[in-house]
C-alpha cells in the first residue's frame, strides 16, 4: 500500500520552463513533507521541506505548494535547467514516527 | 566535511548467503536509518538505530538485522539472501533519532544471483 502517491512518473520540460510534480496522501497524521533529488549513482539529497501549517515555501527556484484540505502537495521548479535533470521523490513523516514514506519518484528531463 | 560513507559500493552474492553492509554517518549526526530502494522505486524504510538500539522498524522480515556502534556507525546484515533482496541499500544519518534533515549516502548496490 503506497502511503504517498506521486505523479507523473516521468516529465520532459524545455529549458526555462516550469516543472511540476504532484503528490497525494491519505494519512492525516503526516506532519512533515520533504522533497528529495536523486542523481544516478547517488543517494537522495534533501531539496526542500514543508509542514502542514504553511501553504507554500520557496527556496530559490524551488517551491512547495501544500493543500492540507485536499491532502496534496507539489514541487514547482521554475526556470528549469538541464542540471535539474534527476529523479525527484516526495516523502512524508507520520507524527511520532522517525521514518519517511517515499513516493515512487518522477524522472525529470530538462531539454536544452 | 565528511558526508555519509557506505561500503562496499557494489556487491554480488549468491542466494542463501549472508551479507553485511556498513555505514558511517555524517559528522555531528548520531542516528542511522537504513532504506531499501528497488530499481525504479522510492526508498523503503528498514529500520533506525539511535543510541545503539533499534528504535523503529519497517515491514521487513527478521532476516534483516542491524547494529550501531558507540561511534554511531552502523551495519545492516541480511541473512538467507533472496533474489528479491537485490536493491540499492541506502543509509541516512540524522540527529537525535529524528527523520528531519536526512543526509543519505550513495548506497550499496546489492545483486543476488
Amino acid at each position: 500500500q503506497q502511503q504517498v502517491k506521486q505523479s507523473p512518473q516521468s516529465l520532459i520540460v524545455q529549458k526555462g520552463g516550469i516543472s511540476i510534480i504532484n503528490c497525494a496522501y491519505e494519512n492525516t497524521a503526516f506532519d512533515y513533507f520533504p522533497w528529495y533529488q536523486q542523481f544516478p549513482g547517488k543517494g537522495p539529497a534533501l531539496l526542500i521541506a514543508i509542514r502542514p501549517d504553511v501553504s507554500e515555501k520557496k527556496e530559490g527556484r524551488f517551491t512547495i505548494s501544500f493543500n492540507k484540505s485536499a491532502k496534496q502537495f507539489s514541487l514547482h521548479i521554475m526556470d528549469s535547467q538541464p542540471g535539474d535533470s534527476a529523479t525527484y521523490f516526495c516523502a512524508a513523516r507520520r507524527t511520532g514516527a522517525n521514518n519517511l514514506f517515499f513516493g515512487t519518484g518522477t524522472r525529470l528531463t530538462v531539454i536544452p | 566535511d565528511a558526508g555519509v560513507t557506505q561500503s562496499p559500493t557494489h556487491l554480488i552474492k549468491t542466494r542463501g548467503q549472508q551479507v553485511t553492509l556498513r555505514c558511517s554517518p555524517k559528522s555531528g549526526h548520531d542516528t542511522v536509518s537504513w532504506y531499501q530502494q528497488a530499481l525504479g522505486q522510492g526508498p523503503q524504510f528498514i529500520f533506525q538505530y539511535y543510541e545503539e538500539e533499534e528504535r523503529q522498524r519497517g515491514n521487513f522480515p527478521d532476516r534483516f538485522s542491524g547494529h550501531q556502534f558507540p561511534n554511531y556507525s552502523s551495519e545492516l546484515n541480511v541473512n538467507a539472501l533472496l533474489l528479491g533482496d537485490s536493491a540499492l541499500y541506502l543509509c541516512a544519518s540524522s540527529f537525535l533519532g529524528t527523520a528531519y534533515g536526512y543526509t543519505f549516502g550513495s548506497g550499496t548496490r546489492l545483486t543476488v544471483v
Side-chain angles (χ1 to χ4, degrees):
Chain A
Q1 179 186 358
Q2 193 68 34
Q3 297 271 352
V4 181
K5 296 180 180 178
Q6 184 172 347
S7 63
Q9 188 173 5
S10 62
L11 183 61
I12 299 175
V13 173
Q14 292 276 357
K15 178 183 174 181
I18 302 173
S19 304
I20 302 174
I21 304 170
N22 301 299
C23 284
Y25 63 97
E26 287 298 323
N27 192 334
T28 56
F30 286 151
D31 66 357
Y32 171 68
F33 302 88
W35 284 89
Y36 283 82
Q37 178 190 57
Q38 185 175 28
F39 292 104
K42 300 293 185 182
L46 179 63
L47 204 55
I48 187 173
I50 198 168
R51 293 185 182 273
D53 54 345
V54 177
S55 62
E56 186 175 282
K57 183 175 181 179
K58 183 176 180 179
E59 290 185 1
R61 296 184 295 109
F62 300 92
T63 300
I64 299 178
S65 296
F66 188 85
N67 186 329
K68 188 174 181 179
S69 61
K71 291 184 283 187
Q72 295 175 348
F73 58 110
S74 59
L75 176 69
H76 295 233
I77 306 174
M78 312 300 286
D79 186 27
S80 298
Q81 299 296 314
D84 297 331
S85 297
T87 299
Y88 292 81
F89 293 95
C90 61
R93 188 203 84 131
R94 192 178 70 247
T95 302
N98 293 319
N99 66 290
L100 296 179
F101 293 98
F102 284 84
T104 50
T106 296
R107 177 175 286 186
L108 171 65
T109 303
V110 181
I111 301 172
Chain B
D1 178 24
V4 176
T5 304
Q6 290 188 244
S7 63
T9 54
H10 295 85
L11 204 52
I12 299 175
K13 287 288 188 178
T14 302
R15 189 173 48 184
Q17 284 188 317
Q18 178 265 344
V19 68
T20 297
L21 310 181
R22 295 176 176 82
C23 171
S24 292
K26 177 181 176 180
S27 177
H29 283 180
D30 58 9
T31 302
V32 172
S33 300
W34 288 93
Y35 284 79
Q36 180 194 66
Q37 186 176 22
L39 203 60
Q41 299 296 316
Q44 290 203 346
F45 176 69
I46 302 174
F47 44 53
Q48 180 205 62
Y49 276 85
Y50 172 58
E51 294 182 322
E52 301 180 48
E53 292 184 6
E54 182 183 296
R55 296 291 179 157
Q56 190 169 333
R57 189 179 184 91
N59 189 25
F60 279 81
D62 292 345
R63 297 188 296 109
F64 290 76
S65 63
H67 187 78
Q68 185 179 36
F69 300 93
N71 66 352
Y72 309 125
S73 67
S74 176
E75 288 181 348
L76 164 65
N77 301 292
V78 187
N79 294 322
L81 284 167
L82 304 174
L83 297 179
D85 294 331
S86 296
L88 180 68
Y89 287 85
L90 293 165
C91 168
S93 73
S94 58
F95 191 55
L96 290 180
T98 72
Y100 300 119
Y102 273 162
T103 298
F104 280 91
S106 294
T108 294
R109 172 70 63 187
L110 173 64
T111 302
V112 182
V113 298

